[in-house]
Amino acid sequence: MAVTVYQYAGCSTCRKALNWLKAHDVAANVVAIVDAPPTAATLTSAWQASGLPLKRFFNTAGQSYRN
């Protein structure tokens, strides 16, 4: 079963995560987040399943978020 990774091509953290998944033989379906952003329902489901604070799902230090 592959995990879905929403990737921003210019993000070094995304590249590191994908490299880690590959090194650990974890299959990943990579989705370009700019071209195909997740739906509100997808985000809500992932957030609730994770148990993490909602803020962890966003790059709050990035310029796009701040704008």
Side-chain angles (χ1 to χ4, degrees):
M1 180 173 165
V3 296
T4 299
V5 177
Y6 289 92
Q7 177 194 27
Y8 177 65
C11 175
S12 62
T13 302
C14 292
R15 288 191 299 271
K16 288 176 189 175
L18 289 171
N19 286 336
W20 186 93
L21 291 171
K22 184 176 180 179
H24 290 85
D25 295 321
V26 177
N29 294 323
V30 180
V31 178
I33 197 164
V34 173
D35 299 332
T39 64
T42 298
L43 284 174
T44 300
S45 176
W47 168 53
Q48 290 174 341
S50 75
L52 296 170
L54 184 58
K55 189 174 181 178
R56 293 285 308 269
F57 281 76
F58 300 94
N59 177 8
T60 57
Q63 189 173 17
S64 296
Y65 180 87
R66 290 181 288 169
N67 288 338

